Amino acid sequence: MEFGAVLQTNPPASRTIQLAKLAENHGFTHVWTFDSHLLWQEPYVIYSQILAETRKVKVGPFVTNPATRDWTVTASIFATLNEMYGNRTICGIGRGDSAVRVTNGKPTTIAELREAIHVIRELANSRPVEYHGSQLQFPWSHGSELDVWVAAYGPMALKLAGEVGDGFILQLADVDIAAWMITHVRDAAEAAGRDPMSIKFCVAAPMYIGDDWEHMREQCRWFGGMVGNHVADIVAKYGTGSSNTAGAVPDALTDYIKAREGYDYNEHGRAGNVHTSFVPDEIVDRFCVLGPAEQHIEKLEQLKALGVDQFAGYLQHDNKEETLRVYGETVIPALSEHLTAKA
């Protein structure tokens, strides 16, 4: 299993770069960042400095979207970073959440997301692509490599991830829900004639090393609010529980949002978000990875057994350095040792 650290690009940028370097030093293979250009600093500028000050770690957005950035510009950024620093970039992409909603926009359609993935991937892999009726290719790009991982929750987005994604990003660490979603992605891949085992699976959630459960939950309750926004969209389209038309949205993913009211995107992804009081402790525990190292290891082993290739831990809390340290000294080595023993 690989490990990623998910950061917000809050000022100063030097702090984001420092955490990225620390993550690499502790054995993390990926550094991801949010991509909402109004709420936080521009991530792609910061990626360049992270890559300049690290050796092997890969960087990318968690996640970008096709609405706020021109697809060819996005591809050009990745191809340029790859030329400068070697092929050390990765693209997480979804329909759009905070980046579009904060401007009163809407997520893109599944069809638009599908087309954007194709255009970005072809161009960023130094290949030609048809775009708006023109055949395009970067004449200066040679040997660039970029995987595109699709973030998804709903049945149609999961289907898309299986059909076209190099990887699938699930932003919650509930074992039961992860099993359900991975099955849907693999089934979609097989139906599309792809090898379902070729798709990388990434589970992402807040990781907090500690033993004060009340404090940890309050620091990570924002995550249930963030996930709730996606779930609300799914429920609005498909219904709840056994009534959903796709027969696909499990009760565990929908029940907790019944008490959901307003949500302020200006507090999106922040510890102490006052608009997440509807998220019960049970959901925080199920969706996040909290507690002492032993409990992290136990949950991550369950996810690995489902086929999860990477755990990406959010660090939007007050215990960043200590969590990275314990992961580097205990959690990551333990997962490697246990998995080797089982092989």
Side-chain angles (χ1 to χ4, degrees), residues 26 41 95 103 147 183 205 230 245 293:
H26 284 307
Q41 292 181 316
R95 294 176 56 213
T103 59
D147 282 349
T183 297
H230 301 286
T245 57

Side-chain angles (χ1 to χ4, degrees), residues 234-241 243-245 249 254:
I234 296 168
V235 171
K237 183 171 183 178
Y238 296 106
T240 59
S243 67
N244 72 77
T245 57
V249 184
T254 61

Side-chain angles (χ1 to χ4, degrees), residues 173-250:
D174 183 278
V175 176
D176 294 334
I177 295 172
W180 174 81
M181 291 193 172
I182 288 172
T183 297
H184 274 261
V185 171
R186 283 183 172 154
D187 287 348
E190 188 170 16
R194 302 182 69 196
D195 176 3
M197 304 307 293
S198 68
I199 301 171
K200 298 291 186 180
F201 290 97
C202 174
V203 162
M207 56 178 180
Y208 195 118
I209 294 287
D211 53 20
D212 184 341
W213 282 89
E214 182 178 356
H215 180 74
M216 288 189 294
R217 286 168 178 150
E218 289 309 308
Q219 284 287 301
C220 298
R221 199 174 303 276
W222 63 268
F223 185 68
M226 185 181 82
V227 172
N229 301 313
H230 301 286
V231 175
D233 287 342
I234 296 168
V235 171
K237 183 171 183 178
Y238 296 106
T240 59
S242 59
S243 67
N244 72 77
T245 57
V249 184

Side-chain angles (χ1 to χ4, degrees), residues 119-179:
V119 170
I120 292 169
R121 180 163 48 203
E122 294 306 294
L123 287 174
N125 280 277
S126 303
R127 297 191 293 260
V129 70
E130 185 176 326
Y131 180 67
H132 289 174
S134 298
Q135 191 79 1
L136 303 180
Q137 185 171 10
F138 299 137
W140 46 266
S141 178
H142 306 283
S144 177
E145 297 177 3
L146 179 75
D147 282 349
V148 181
W149 291 14
V150 182
Y153 289 101
M156 295 305 296
L158 292 171
K159 182 173 180 289
L160 176 70
E163 291 173 344
V164 304
D166 296 306
F168 162 56
I169 294 171
L170 170 59
Q171 290 167 295
L172 57 84
D174 183 278
V175 176
D176 294 334
I177 295 172

Side-chain angles (χ1 to χ4, degrees), residues 28 57 60 67 74 84 113 131 143 160 164 211 232 238 245 254 286 303 337 341:
F28 287 77
V57 71
T74 297
M84 293 174 68
L113 178 57
Y131 180 67
L160 176 70
V164 304
D211 53 20
Y238 296 106
T245 57
T254 61
R286 289 184 64 167
L303 290 168
E337 291 171 7

